[in-house]
Structure formats: structure tokens, C-alpha cells
């Protein structure tokens, strides 16, 4: 006991250390394998394929970043600073594209623009216009950039809008009083002020693009994600897959360092304790119509058209889909999401509480490690976790034999445990950020008062802290739950044999060119996501949300 007190060790610190160690080990394993001697497969990839993987990945990242930054910033500027017809509707409607996973949007637009899709059929049958099918071909890098842009611009829009509404009111109104035009205000005040928010949100977009597997695989674009899958499943070479994962991880780390350098040390904070919102300036006549039209076009392409098309396909195919196997699929998805979410919020609460109580170097390192977990692409996490679990199976085979003499050699690495483990690493940052934000809002006064009155840390957490951070707890729960429902790369790589979820079934239908059948599970995923977005938006309006995007 004396030793525990001497090193300030308690249940919270030991559990936090245990969880952080478990999170670090798979990534560490990936890095270690970067220095293992290369085999012939890796040499072939390095000589003939790696250049294309890097070029395609960087092209997608570059153009998607530019387009999402342009669309997201311009929309946040319009909604925050001006008043025009349907502004209040678009204010929340432009968040809705987040409910549509990029791979589902890709399947939808591919079907819409195909030779038998509504677009070409309408042109041929109603307008007698016969255009070459190549003009409607979306299955290339340009098409993938379009899909990523319409699905991911809400990251930039929501974060930049929140920053604009809270921090720049006095600056913009002062500029207006000095007679500055809107374009001058935008380029001289808004852009410099929101630079950090734009760069931070675009970095989230970049991570999502690098993490994607569904879009690039369906469009046949060779990127790091597709290469990892192909090397593992087609070639059966896990060592080369680990090397590809390590290369992708280095690329992600380079981008994160670049993002940090771009942000620099510039920070903008409130000049007054009381924050007041911007007073929107009315846009009338043609200017108001143009603003409404711009928002309507983005909303239509990003949410309305895909949702209407999926609804129509669902109507055509639901009789063939809604059987016992579909409900089993739904139960699988909800069950996996529920268990993962419970694990994530419990572990996040333990580490967040430890970091709150111990404001030292260790706590700061823990925070960085958890946040880094979300920046690692799903395919890399999957490779690291699988390699780690195979290592465990090989070294605990003697133990499995004691429990069951006929035990297989691979037990953990072929079970659903590996999937839960990988999900926790991937989504722990979401739960942690939300709970940490809740703790920051509550402060330490109540904790210190409880401790002064003789309560232990654990008693204080359950009786004082937990009831006060309940909104953050529920926000984190909803966020993680929805992300697990939508997650594709991790589930595809690590699911047990014959275990499907809604996301993997959509992928399977689309791969088999059964787009209509993919619509029903796609709509279920979208509806679950829409409910969560409404929940978070509703709490945000009431000022009870603790969602953090950084």
C-alpha cells in the first residue's frame, strides 16, 4: 500500500495504463514490422505498384480537401452572416449529408448515371438525346472526389460555422460600421480568423478519405486501403500488408504534422466574457435567391437526390429483402454497436476522469495517444490488431489445449473479440473527447469538495461527477453508436466467418451489382444516422451538447 501511495497509484491510474497499453500495442507492432526484411511480394509492390497507390491517394486527398474547404467555408459564411429565404432550414439541413456513408452515395450515383439509370433513360426517352455513356462515367478519380466532397463537406461547414457564430461577431460588425463590403470582410477578416477551424476540419476530411475502402474499391481506384485488402486477401501475405499499413500510417502522421504546422500558434479567443451571436444581414432580391439556390443545389446533390433514389429502390426491392436473415443482420449491427459503445464510453470515462484528476505529463500523453487512435485508418488498425491477436494465439495455444484438448490454434483472432478490440481503438477518441469536454464544463470544484468531505475518488465519480456529465455521456454514446453502425473497413477485415452487418451486406450487394437490394439496408443505416443527428442538433439548440469535433 505504501508503494502504491508513493507512486500515486490507484484503480483509476492502473486501469488507464492498462487500456492505453492495449491501444498502443497494435500500432507499435505495425511500426516494428516496417523494419522486418522484405519478401518478394513487397519488393514487387514497391517496384511497380506503390507509386500508383501514393499518387492516387494524394490526388483524392488534395482535390477533396480543396473542394470541401471551398464549399464548407462558403456555406458557413452565408448561413452565419446573411439572412435569406429558407436560411433556417438550410442551417441544419446541410448537416444531413453526414448521415449518408460515402460508399452508399457512390453506389447510388453510379446507379443513377448508368446506362439504365434514370438520367440516361430520361434523356433518351423524353428528350430524344443520345449522349455517349462515357460522359456519365463516374467510376474514376474525379467521380470519387465528387462523392467524397458531397459527403464530407459538412465537417468543414459545421466546425467553421460554429466558430464564426461564436467568435467573430464584433469583428464583422465593426468592419460593417467602417463601410467594408461583404467580400472584403470575407477575405480580410473571416478567412484569417477561421483559418484554424478550416484547417482542423479539413484534416478530418483527409483522415476520412484515407480511411475509406468502399468508394475506392467499388470505383476500382488503387489506393492504400485497396492495396492492403488485396495484399491480405488475394495474395495472403500479411507481412506485406503490414508494410503497406506502416507506409499509410507514416503518410497520416506527416499530414497531421503538416496540419499542426499550418495552424501554427495562432489562436483566437473571446475578447469579452459574454459571447454574442452575429446579427445576420438581409439579402433581398436576386442576391437572396442566389444564396438560396446555392444552398439548395448543394443540399440536393449531397442528400436529397441520393435519399430519394434509395427510397425508390427500397420500394422496388423491399419484398425480396425483408426476411428473417435481414432482421438477423439488423440485430447483428445493433448488437455489435451497442456492446462496442458501452465499452468505449466506459473506458473513455475511466481515462478522462484520470486525466482530469492528474493534470500532469502522463495525462497529456494519454490524451494524445487516444486522439491519435481516430487518425489511424481502419485498415491499418485491422492489420495491427490481427497481427497482435495471431501472436497471442500462438503463445497461448498451450492454454487453449488445457481448456479444450481439441482446441483450434487460432481462437481469439477468429472470434468477435478481435472486432470489438479494433472498434474500441478506432472510436475511443470520440467518446473521450466528448466526456473530457463534459468534465471541463463541470470543473473540479465539486470533485474537490467531495474529496474534502472524505469520499474516495470512485465514490465521487459515481455520486457526484457522473450525474453532472450525463449529457456528455449520452452525446458520446450516440456518436460512437452511429459510427460503429456505418463502419466498413474494420468490419470487413475482422468479422468472424459468416457474420454480416448492415454495412457489410450493403457492400456485398453492391459488389454483386445488386444495387436495388442494397437500398434497404442503406436506408436503415441512413435513418439511424438521421435520428442521431437530430438528437445531437436538438441538444445543441438547448445548449446541452458536449460534442467536440477537434
Amino acid at each position: 500500500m505504501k508503494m502504491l501511495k508513493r507512486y500515486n497509484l490507484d484503480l483509476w491510474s492502473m486501469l488507464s495504463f492498462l487500456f492505453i497499453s492495449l491501444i498502443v500495442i497494435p500500432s507499435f507492432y505495425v511500426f516494428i514490422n516496417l523494419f522486418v526484411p522484405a519478401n518478394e511480394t513487397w519488393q514487387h509492390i514497391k517496384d511497380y505498384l506503390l507509386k500508383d497507390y501514393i499518387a492516387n491517394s494524394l490526388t483524392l486527398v488534395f482535390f477533396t480537401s480543396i473542394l470541401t474547404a471551398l464549399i464548407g467555408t462558403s456555406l458557413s459564411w452565408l448561413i452565419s452572416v446573411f439572412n435569406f429565404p429558407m436560411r433556417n432550414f438550410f442551417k441544419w439541413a446541410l448537416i444531413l449529408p453526414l448521415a449518408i456513408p460515402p460508399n452508399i452515395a457512390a453506389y447510388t450515383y453510379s446507379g443513377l448515371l448508368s446506362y439504365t439509370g434514370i438520367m440516361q433513360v430520361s434523356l433518351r426517352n423524353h428528350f430524344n438525346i443520345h449522349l455517349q455513356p462515357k460522359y456519365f462515367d463516374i467510376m474514376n478519380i474525379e467521380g470519387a472526389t465528387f462523392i467524397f466532397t458531397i459527403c464530407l463537406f459538412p465537417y468543414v461547414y459545421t466546425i467553421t460555422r460554429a466558430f464564426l457564430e461564436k467568435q467573430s461577431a464584433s469583428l464583422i460588425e465593426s468592419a460593417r460600421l467602417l463601410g467594408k463590403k461583404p467580400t472584403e470582410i470575407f477575405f480580410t477578416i473571416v478567412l484569417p480568423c477561421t483559418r484554424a477551424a478550416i484547417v482542423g476540419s479539413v484534416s478530418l476530411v483527409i483522415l476520412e478519405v484515407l480511411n475509406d475502402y468502399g468508394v475506392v474499391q467499388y470505383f476500382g481506384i488503387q489506393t492504400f486501403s485497396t492495396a492492403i485488402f488485396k495484399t491480405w486477401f488475394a495474395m495472403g501475405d500479411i507481412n506485406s500488408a503490414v508494410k503497406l499499413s506502416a507506409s499509410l500510417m507514416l503518410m497520416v502522421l506527416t499530414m497531421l504534422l503538416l496540419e499542426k504546422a499550418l495552424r501554427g500558434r495562432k489562436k483566437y479567443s473571446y475578447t469579452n466574457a459574454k459571447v454574442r451571436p452575429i446579427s445576420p444581414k438581409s439579402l433581398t432580391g436576386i442576391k437572396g435567391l442566389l444564396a438560396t439556390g446555392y444552398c439548395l443545389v448543394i443540399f440536393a446533390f449531397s442528400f436529397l437526390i441520393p435519399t430519394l433514389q434509395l427510397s425508390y429502390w427500397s420500394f422496388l426491392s423491399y419484398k425480396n429483402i425483408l426476411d428473417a436473415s435481414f432482421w438477423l443482420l439488423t440485430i447483428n449491427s445493433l448488437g455489435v454497436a451497442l456492446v462496442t459503445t458501452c465499452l468505449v464510453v466506459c473506458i473513455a470515462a475511466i481515462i478522462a476522469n484520470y486525466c482530469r484528476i492528474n493534470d500532469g505529463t502522463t495525462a497529456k500523453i494519454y490524451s494524445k495517444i487516444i486522439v491519435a487512435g481516430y487518425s489511424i485508418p481502419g485498415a491499418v488498425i485491422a492489420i495491427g490488431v490481427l497481427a497482435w491477436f495471431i501472436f497471442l494465439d500462438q503463445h497461448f495455444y498451450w492454454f487453449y489445449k488445457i481448456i479444450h484438448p481439441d482446441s483450434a490454434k487460432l481462437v481469439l483472432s477468429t472470434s468477435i473479440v478481435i472486432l470489438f478490440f479494433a472498434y474500441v481503438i478506432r472510436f475511443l477518441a470520440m467518446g473521450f473527447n466528448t466526456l473530457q469536454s463534459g468534465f471541463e464544463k463541470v470543473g473540479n470544484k465539486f470533485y474537490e469538495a467531495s474529496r474534502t468531505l472524505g469520499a474516495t475518488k470512485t465514490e465521487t465519480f459515481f455520486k457526484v461527477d457522473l450525474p453532472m456529465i450525463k449529457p456528455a455521456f449520452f452525446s458520446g454514446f450516440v456518436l460512437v453508436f452511429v459510427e460503429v453502425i456505418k463502419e466498413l473497413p474494420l468490419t470487413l477485415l475482422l468479422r468472424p466467418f459468416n457474420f454480416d452487418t448492415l454495412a457489410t451486406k450493403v457492400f456485398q450487394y453492391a459488389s454483386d451489382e445488386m444495387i436495388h437490394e442494397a437500398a434497404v439496408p442503406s436506408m436503415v443505416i441512413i435513418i439511424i444516422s438521421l435520428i442521431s443527428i437530430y438528437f445531437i442538433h436538438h441538444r445543441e439548440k438547448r445548449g446541452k451538447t458536449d460534442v467536440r469535433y477537434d
Side-chain angles (χ1 to χ4, degrees), residues 321-329 331:
I321 299 297
L322 295 180
D323 53 15
S325 62
F326 178 80
W327 297 118
L328 179 64
L329 206 68
I331 291 169

Side-chain angles (χ1 to χ4, degrees), residues 3-129:
M3 185 175 288
L4 291 178
K5 285 185 179 178
R6 183 181 174 187
Y7 292 102
N8 198 24
L9 294 175
D10 54 24
L11 184 65
W12 295 91
S13 63
M14 288 189 283
L15 283 176
S16 299
F17 177 76
L18 174 68
F19 293 136
I20 292 292
S21 303
L22 290 174
I23 290 167
V24 167
I25 287 172
S27 304
F28 185 70
Y29 194 84
V30 169
F31 264 119
I32 289 288
N33 274 270
L34 191 60
F35 304 103
V36 172
N39 56 20
E40 287 182 1
T41 308
W42 172 247
Q43 198 59 45
H44 174 78
I45 291 171
K46 195 176 161 186
D47 291 342
Y48 301 106
L49 303 173
L50 191 60
K51 199 184 292 181
D52 287 342
Y53 298 154
I54 295 173
N56 289 340
S57 299
L58 289 179
T59 303
L60 282 173
V61 162
F62 178 76
F63 286 108
T64 306
S65 304
I66 298 289
L67 291 173
T68 50
L70 285 174
I71 294 174
T73 309
S74 57
L75 286 173
S76 63
W77 159 247
L78 271 178
I79 298 286
S80 305
V81 179
F82 298 105
N83 198 6
F84 53 88
M86 297 178 70
R87 171 184 173 269
N88 288 332
F89 169 75
F90 287 123
K91 188 174 182 178
W92 68 269
L94 290 170
I95 306 172
L96 297 182
L98 281 177
I100 303 179
N103 61 314
I104 292 177
Y107 308 148
T108 311
Y109 270 101
S110 173
L112 267 168
L113 298 172
S114 67
Y115 188 77
T116 54
I118 189 170
M119 186 68 76
Q120 292 201 52
V121 169
S122 300
L123 286 174
R124 284 197 304 268
N125 297 344
H126 300 296
F127 301 100
N128 199 25
I129 297 174

Side-chain angles (χ1 to χ4, degrees), residues 167-210:
Q167 300 224 9
S168 58
S170 58
L171 292 172
I172 291 173
E173 285 169 12
S174 299
R176 282 174 179 167
L177 288 174
L178 291 169
K180 295 286 183 185
K181 294 178 181 176
T183 49
E184 288 178 301
I185 296 173
F186 180 75
F187 286 107
T188 58
I189 295 174
V190 172
L191 272 186
C193 281
T194 55
R195 198 182 82 174
I198 295 169
V199 171
S201 53
V202 169
S203 68
L204 281 178
V205 171
I206 291 172
L207 295 176
E208 290 293 331
V209 172
L210 290 175

Side-chain angles (χ1 to χ4, degrees), residues 59-60 63-65 67 140-150 215 219 221:
T59 303
L60 282 173
F63 286 108
T64 306
S65 304
L67 291 173
N140 45 42
I141 285 191
E142 293 81 4
T145 305
F146 167 74
I147 295 295
F148 285 132
T149 301
I150 60 169
V215 177
F219 283 5
I221 302 168

